[in-house]
Amino acid sequence: MQKNSDNFIDFKNFPKNYDYQTVEKKISQYWEDNKIYKFEPHDKSRNVYSVDTPPPYVSSSHLHVGHVMSYSQAEFIIRYKRMKGFNIFYPMGFDDNGLPTERYVERKYKINKSKITREDFIDLCLKETKIGIEVYKSLWKSAGISADYGLSYSTIDERCRKTAQKSFLDLYNKGLIERRNEPILWCPQCRTSLAQADVVIEEFSGVLYDIEFKSSSGKNLIISTTRPELLGGCVAVYASPADERYHFLEGQSVKTPLYNKDVPVKYDESVDINYGTGIMMVCTWGDVEDVRKWKEHKLDTAIVINKAGKLNELSGKYNGLSVKEAKKALVEDLNKLSLIKGEKPLIHNVGVHDRCGTPVEFILAEQWFIKILDNKDKFISAGNQMTWHPEFMKARYEEWINNLKWDWNISRQRFYGVPFPVWYCSECGEVITAAETELPVDPVVNLPTVNKCPKCRGKGLRPETDVMDTWMTSSMTPLINSQWAYDDVESKELLNMIYPMGLRPQAQEIIRTWLFYSVVKSIYHTESVPFKNVMISGWGLDKNGKKMSKSLGNFVGPEDIISKYSADALRYWASKANLGQDLRFSEEDVVSGRKLLIKIWNAARFLITNIPPEFNPYEKKISGLKLNQIDKWVLTEFENALKICENNMESYEYSFSLKTASDFFYNVYCDNYLEIIKNVFWDEGEENTDRKKTVLNVMYFVSLNILKVFAPFIPFITEELYLSFYKNFEKDNSIHLSNWPEFKKELIFSDSVNISGILLNILEASRKLRTNLNLHQNHKISKILIKTLNPGYIDIINEISGDIKSAVRAERVVFSDKADFKTADENIFISLEK
RNA sequence: GGGCGGAUAGCUCAGCCGGUUAGAGCAUCGGCUUUACAAGCCGGGGGUCACAGGUUCGAAUCCUGUUCCGCCUACCA
């Protein structure tokens, strides 16, 4: 026997059991040592398939099987593409700047940003970031994620800071970014401004208060509001222009209760005649609609809430109270004056900060905005230039864009993030930006290249202390990966090679953020979409269909499942969800996965332990062997399955591909083909020698190729079998670098399916008879009697009588009218004789 | 309020651009152990395809409406 290597397993003593714990560790090390997944930047012979891997928050020790599920689903496709010959650019990123990390550190150390210095806080964040990266790396490796870890980035590292800052400068120079003083969304808990995408709507139960106001003509007016605490900030009352009840108020003013402030009466179409009394108060600012009216109708400004979420001096005696306390106190005071005419409990929708659940407020502050409202059309059309898997997810992207109401506020009043490359003249306020060559800079530490204000020549310059929204950096991942911020030749070559990226895999809940912002950036910076394909995974749910989370206690940790059942088995579970569909975690499915592994192991063992020393699978082409009908059948079925698998992988429908491969493997290859041919190996007779050789070659061909189809899903066991056995006859150093099986038309024998159908019907009937007779399936019998009502079958049955004998373990096949057990083909009857 | 996805066997899900008797895995029941695999094999039972209409020779599949679950989105203060 020719062997390529000596350190592999002795075939005759091939292990009976598959020891996945040892094997997965060993294989993982093998991949790392041999750089199996390394991207080759100088290889021009292959096409590139580049992946914009989701960088998870390292700060969260929240990893559950659902995360492994979504990474695996993308990875099935990536491994397939690798086998199709693509040069795979598959980096691993870690998103560790910004609020998510800060929140994590605050909770872990029970601190908040007001109780610690900026430096100490950043140190803690960096420390946790390092720990988090190691945890992630080790999990992804044990799960078999085939990223090239040499391409890793962390969104707080120098390259990412430089890229985010260059993005800022580029947009600033293009006039797409500007500093504006206007009402912004504010989280009183995190003490920072937010963007629309950081706010989610939650239902709260509240009370709708009917409060009595007085018009300047002395008439009482009832106004309904859920936020009486904002009364001091009331700057106008509004009615619908169509509401005749309030036409009399035109030109009048209205006096607010408690504050006795005169505010104008205004009319706007947006007021619902049927809500409350049809008249509403507008404060600066209770909600988005207040902001709009304030802007459009140039209303007064009266801000009663400060950055801590407490009422300020403008609220009078309520100064210093929290929103909640103030609401209570105001309601009491109004009640004392009998000005509350009704209270109705209601459920209403309130915008809250998605990181902490605190209701957002509106405050006035100077912030940096990226203009996005002007270019909605461009972003929608970019969406149409990408292929969405599944397609219906595109609707969410479009819906989000259509509903955008704010430009993207990227200023955050936090510590741990990428700084703005900006200083201000303390005299005239002029903005001084860093030079591109200096990036990354920290304006708090570094000085600008100019030493005085270019506009007023003032010498005092103060740094911007806000940091950028974390999405300002993560939206750059396609450009971070492509070295867009660097001008050297090699970087430019890489950019041309991998950008736009081939694939963006991600979860559905960050369509509005990561996906949308990435498109914005790429369109603005490169006038191109950031990627060609978008793959949106569903969620891994618990067994009751609820989203997994630590706090709910329905959390299944991937490490436990991997050590109990193997990573391959966990990935098998992940493959069960159609793309974009949620999947309940089911330990039973993981068990099924493990069963598949064991079956694959044993089927391979059957081949391996029967291999004679002189075996050479490539002595002859498969189509040149003397094939029986049953061999032709298994080859035909394999080629058909292969075609289906390939088509499904091409359209990112991995789930159906694995199902097709498994069905073929169980039903065709193991349960029938192997069962039919196996007794060739029980008989050492001379006459079997050629037959043995043929079936070994067929088995080698089919088992190797089906193993390749399985490889993207269950990379460990397929690699182990490849290296320990097939590698003796194959050239590639890894099954994952080997070629995806090529469809071979010459192995489709169209007759064989019908002809073998006769054999399979006979076999099935024989199995039923044996069950009825309590007869072991392998127990040899002397005769099988066959009767056929179709004369055309006689020649066929004669031709395949060898296979029939082998299949039903009979010494002889005899035509006889005594056969009386009807097979699934009603033209064929059989009987067995012991 | 608008939109999307889902509802198929006891459970988890395929099938859905119309076409024999609706499938798989798990669970369940019966049987089978020297000869790859008992973490196995063989066989059986189990479904008015959410509901109501419609189109059609023919509907789980297409159309309309309804109900329930999940998600996205939304200013009813």
Side-chain angles (χ1 to χ4, degrees):
Chain A
M1 180 186 304
Q2 292 187 335
K3 300 230 181 126
N4 293 336
S5 166
D6 301 325
N7 16 337
F8 295 117
I9 300 163
D10 168 17
F11 292 166
K12 290 293 170 208
N13 293 313
F14 190 78
K16 190 165 160 52
N17 295 314
Y18 174 49
D19 176 5
Y20 52 82
Q21 291 194 333
T22 311
V23 168
E24 290 194 348
K25 280 197 188 77
K26 181 186 79 180
I27 294 294
S28 192
Q29 195 60 45
Y30 175 85
W31 289 336
E32 201 169 337
D33 293 345
N34 292 280
K35 300 190 166 55
I36 297 299
Y37 304 124
K38 192 173 182 304
F39 171 68
E40 299 293 347
H42 303 296
D43 181 353
K44 304 280 188 264
S45 68
R46 293 180 293 163
N47 287 325
V48 170
Y49 187 78
S50 51
V51 183
D52 192 17
T53 324
Y57 296 125
V58 299
S59 47
S60 29
S61 57
H62 63 246
L63 280 169
H64 54 67
V65 289
H67 295 95
V68 174
M69 173 186 120
S70 55
Y71 275 77
S72 300
Q73 291 177 347
E75 220 248 346
F76 300 153
I77 301 302
I78 295 160
R79 283 187 180 272
Y80 166 76
K81 293 282 181 188
R82 189 181 287 117
M83 293 175 80
K84 287 294 277 185
F86 286 93
N87 188 6
I88 302 288
F89 181 91
Y90 184 24
M92 187 49 76
F94 301 97
D95 193 3
D96 41 30
N97 86 53
L99 210 40
T101 305
E102 293 195 60
R103 288 284 306 161
Y104 175 77
V105 167
E106 284 181 345
R107 268 182 291 209
K108 177 159 179 181
Y109 293 93
K110 300 198 169 36
I111 52 172
N112 73 49
K113 79 167 196 182
S114 62
K115 293 183 189 149
I116 186 168
T117 66
R118 187 182 175 106
E119 288 72 29
D120 289 347
F121 192 90
I122 290 174
D123 282 348
L124 278 181
C125 289
L126 286 168
K127 181 181 144 200
E128 287 302 320
T129 294
K130 278 208 182 97
I131 297 172
I133 286 180
E134 290 316 309
V135 171
Y136 266 84
K137 269 193 180 165
S138 116
L139 176 64
W140 295 144
K141 283 184 185 173
S142 69
I145 302 299
S146 63
D148 177 352
Y149 291 88
L151 301 172
S152 294
Y153 62 86
S154 138
T155 54
I156 199 67
D157 68 21
E158 178 170 326
R159 171 167 54 138
C160 292
R161 295 199 314 274
K162 181 179 164 103
T163 307
Q165 291 186 338
K166 179 174 167 175
S167 168
F168 177 92
L169 293 182
D170 191 43
L171 297 179
Y172 183 74
N173 294 333
K174 286 174 172 160
L176 290 165
I177 208 165
E178 59 187 26
R179 192 158 172 81
R180 298 203 294 252
N181 190 28
E182 60 177 43
I184 46 149
L185 294 157
W186 180 265
C187 175
Q189 164 73 36
C190 301
R191 308 270 178 108
T192 181
S193 62
L194 301 171
Q196 186 178 343
D198 304 316
V199 176
V200 291
I201 304 264
E202 262 183 35
E203 280 191 349
F204 279 74
S205 53
V207 178
L208 184 64
Y209 297 95
D210 292 334
I211 299 174
E212 189 174 286
F213 286 53
K214 233 181 203 27
S215 76
S216 52
S217 64
K219 194 145 169 49
N220 290 337
L221 292 169
I222 306 296
I223 293 182
S224 300
T225 180
T226 55
R227 300 205 64 184
E229 71 275 17
L230 292 178
L231 204 49
C234 178
V235 290
V237 300
Y238 272 77
S240 165
D243 194 340
E244 294 181 1
R245 291 175 296 172
Y246 298 112
H247 284 175
F248 77 95
L249 282 173
E250 187 145 19
Q252 294 194 41
S253 67
V254 163
K255 211 175 264 307
T256 62
L258 297 180
Y259 291 90
N260 292 320
K261 191 170 124 189
D262 288 314
V263 298
V265 177
K266 305 253 178 186
Y267 298 89
D268 192 275
E269 307 281 357
S270 70
V271 181
D272 183 346
I273 294 173
N274 299 314
Y275 190 89
T277 55
I279 188 161
M280 67 185 286
M281 71 171 190
V282 169
C283 307
T284 48
W285 301 269
D287 59 29
V288 185
E289 195 53 25
D290 285 354
V291 173
R292 185 185 67 81
K293 293 195 182 79
W294 172 82
K295 268 190 189 166
E296 281 180 15
H297 298 175
K298 307 228 169 347
L299 303 177
D300 279 349
T301 309
I303 299 165
V304 291
I305 292 179
N306 68 18
K307 289 182 176 177
K310 295 191 169 172
L311 273 73
N312 62 18
E313 57 283 353
L314 202 69
S315 71
K317 63 183 275 206
Y318 310 101
N319 186 11
L321 296 183
S322 73
V323 166
K324 217 172 149 186
E325 293 161 344
K327 180 178 292 189
K328 200 169 158 228
L330 257 126
V331 168
E332 261 170 39
D333 291 347
L334 287 166
N335 262 326
K336 277 182 205 152
L337 300 169
S338 300
L339 292 172
I340 296 202
K341 301 297 181 189
E343 293 187 20
K344 267 194 293 275
L346 86 169
I347 305 288
H348 61 148
N349 298 326
V350 177
V352 301
H353 182 197
D354 66 341
R355 300 287 169 197
C356 70
T358 308
V360 297
E361 298 291 350
F362 296 84
I363 66 159
L364 188 68
E366 209 170 357
Q367 307 277 303
W368 287 104
F369 292 88
I370 294 180
K371 293 196 220 171
I372 51 178
L373 297 179
D374 299 342
N375 288 308
K376 287 185 180 187
D377 292 352
K378 271 192 190 166
F379 305 139
I380 299 259
S381 110
N384 290 327
Q385 289 166 46
M386 304 185 287
T387 310
W388 294 71
H389 311 276
E391 235 235 301
F392 67 76
M393 287 290 180
K394 186 166 78 175
R396 299 197 179 180
Y397 170 84
E398 290 178 349
E399 187 177 25
W400 175 252
I401 293 172
N402 286 327
N403 283 310
L404 277 170
K405 295 201 169 48
W406 305 72
D407 277 332
W408 177 13
N409 175 3
I410 54 167
S411 293
R412 296 291 178 274
Q413 290 67 47
R414 297 293 305 187
F415 294 155
Y416 185 61
V418 176
F420 284 85
V422 164
W423 298 261
Y424 304 101
C425 170
S426 7
E427 281 165 45
C428 72
E430 175 74 0
V431 172
I432 296 144
T433 54
E436 202 184 306
T437 48
E438 299 175 291
L439 303 181
V441 299
D442 182 351
V444 175
V445 177
N446 308 115
L447 292 169
T449 36
V450 294
N451 55 12
K452 56 189 169 202
C453 173
K455 192 170 160 198
C456 75
R457 311 229 156 248
K459 289 230 165 133
L461 300 176
R462 64 180 170 83
E464 170 64 89
T465 54
D466 285 356
V467 294
M468 298 184 196
D469 180 6
T470 184
W471 296 110
M472 181 72 184
T473 319
S474 32
S475 59
M476 297 299 287
T477 53
L479 293 164
I480 289 167
N481 283 317
S482 315
Q483 300 284 106
W484 167 80
Y486 296 84
D487 288 327
D488 57 288
V489 177
E490 212 161 303
S491 296
K492 290 296 150 212
E493 263 181 25
L494 186 73
L495 182 74
N496 285 332
M497 229 176 152
I498 70 168
Y499 183 88
M501 303 196 80
L503 177 67
R504 156 63 70 86
Q506 67 163 73
Q508 54 188 316
E509 70 270 23
I510 48 175
I511 292 174
R512 48 146 69 181
T513 49
W514 194 36
L515 181 41
F516 170 65
Y517 288 145
S518 298
V519 172
V520 169
K521 289 295 192 69
S522 281
I523 294 293
Y524 281 171
H525 292 306
T526 69
E527 291 178 20
S528 151
V529 292
F531 21 74
K532 297 165 198 154
N533 290 283
V534 181
M535 198 173 163
I536 309 281
S537 61
W539 284 324
L541 307 175
D542 74 1
K543 62 180 189 320
N544 300 314
K546 294 266 172 278
K547 238 189 128 172
M548 271 187 207
S549 83
K550 269 231 156 124
S551 52
L552 288 175
N554 59 354
F555 190 91
V556 181
E559 296 89 350
D560 301 341
I561 299 298
I562 288 173
S563 67
K564 196 167 167 194
Y565 299 106
S566 81
D568 281 344
L570 179 58
R571 293 168 61 104
Y572 175 87
W573 163 74
S575 80
K576 305 269 293 185
N578 278 342
L579 188 58
Q581 229 64 287
D582 295 345
L583 180 66
R584 296 179 186 210
F585 181 70
S586 144
E587 201 152 326
E588 290 76 29
D589 283 340
V590 181
V591 171
S592 298
R594 187 177 59 175
K595 281 186 184 171
L596 174 65
L597 305 182
I598 293 168
K599 192 80 176 170
I600 290 173
W601 186 261
N602 282 308
R605 202 164 75 89
F606 179 64
L607 167 65
I608 294 168
T609 53
N610 280 300
I611 288 280
E614 71 282 359
F615 178 70
N616 175 2
Y618 296 109
E619 193 180 315
K620 271 188 185 166
K621 283 175 97 171
I622 292 286
S623 51
L625 296 166
K626 186 174 176 296
L627 298 170
N628 280 11
Q629 286 296 347
I630 200 65
D631 305 320
K632 292 180 178 172
W633 172 72
V634 77
L635 291 166
T636 304
E637 293 285 351
F638 172 75
E639 294 298 329
N640 287 336
L642 172 65
K643 193 90 206 152
I644 294 169
C645 290
E646 176 161 340
N647 288 342
N648 280 288
M649 292 308 265
E650 285 295 329
S651 54
Y652 294 68
E653 296 285 345
Y654 53 80
S655 181
F656 197 68
S657 180
L658 179 55
K659 188 178 164 13
T660 304
S662 303
D663 284 352
F664 166 80
F665 178 71
Y666 272 101
N667 302 335
V668 177
Y669 185 67
C670 291
D671 293 349
N672 286 311
Y673 185 71
L674 292 187
E675 288 302 329
I676 289 166
I677 58 90
K678 72 201 283 189
N679 57 3
V680 149
F681 297 100
W682 301 350
D683 185 353
E684 291 301 325
E686 251 329 279
E687 73 280 6
N688 267 340
T689 315
D690 282 352
R691 183 69 193 128
K692 263 189 210 168
K693 212 169 170 176
T694 302
V695 298
L696 281 172
N697 275 281
V698 172
M699 282 161 72
Y700 183 92
F701 174 84
V702 173
S703 65
L704 172 60
N705 285 315
I706 195 68
L707 203 64
K708 289 183 174 189
V709 176
F710 279 135
F713 301 98
I714 45 177
F716 290 101
I717 192 171
T718 49
E719 184 78 312
E720 169 67 6
L721 288 171
Y722 179 83
L723 293 179
S724 56
F725 173 65
Y726 298 95
K727 177 76 177 77
N728 292 294
F729 313 99
E730 306 293 327
K731 61 179 189 332
D732 300 297
N733 286 326
S734 163
I735 192 169
H736 304 294
L737 298 177
S738 73
N739 289 326
W740 178 264
E742 194 187 327
F743 177 73
K744 291 188 164 64
K745 212 168 61 194
E746 69 271 24
L747 295 183
I748 298 279
F749 302 92
S750 18
D751 289 352
S752 72
V753 174
N754 286 332
I755 294 172
S756 293
I758 293 172
L759 169 59
L760 292 169
N761 281 332
I762 290 171
L763 174 57
E764 188 197 6
S766 141
R767 282 169 172 167
K768 283 182 191 178
L769 276 177
R770 283 171 181 269
T771 298
N772 293 348
L773 297 168
N774 289 357
L775 197 61
H776 184 253
Q777 298 295 339
N778 280 339
H779 193 280
K780 267 231 157 136
I781 56 169
S782 64
K783 272 191 265 186
I784 175 167
L785 309 181
I786 300 179
K787 176 174 79 180
T788 173
L789 307 177
N790 183 341
Y793 282 0
I794 291 175
D795 283 349
I796 296 173
I797 291 170
N798 275 324
E799 187 203 336
I800 62 174
S801 66
D803 286 331
I804 294 175
K805 277 194 285 186
S806 179
V808 305
R809 317 281 187 251
E811 305 277 4
R812 289 198 295 144
V813 177
V814 179
F815 285 106
S816 163
D817 284 344
K818 281 193 247 166
D820 58 0
F821 186 83
K822 201 199 304 184
T823 68
D825 183 334
E826 35 187 56
N827 287 314
I828 305 174
F829 295 78
I830 69 161
S831 286
L832 304 181
E833 278 189 13
K834 290 194 197 174

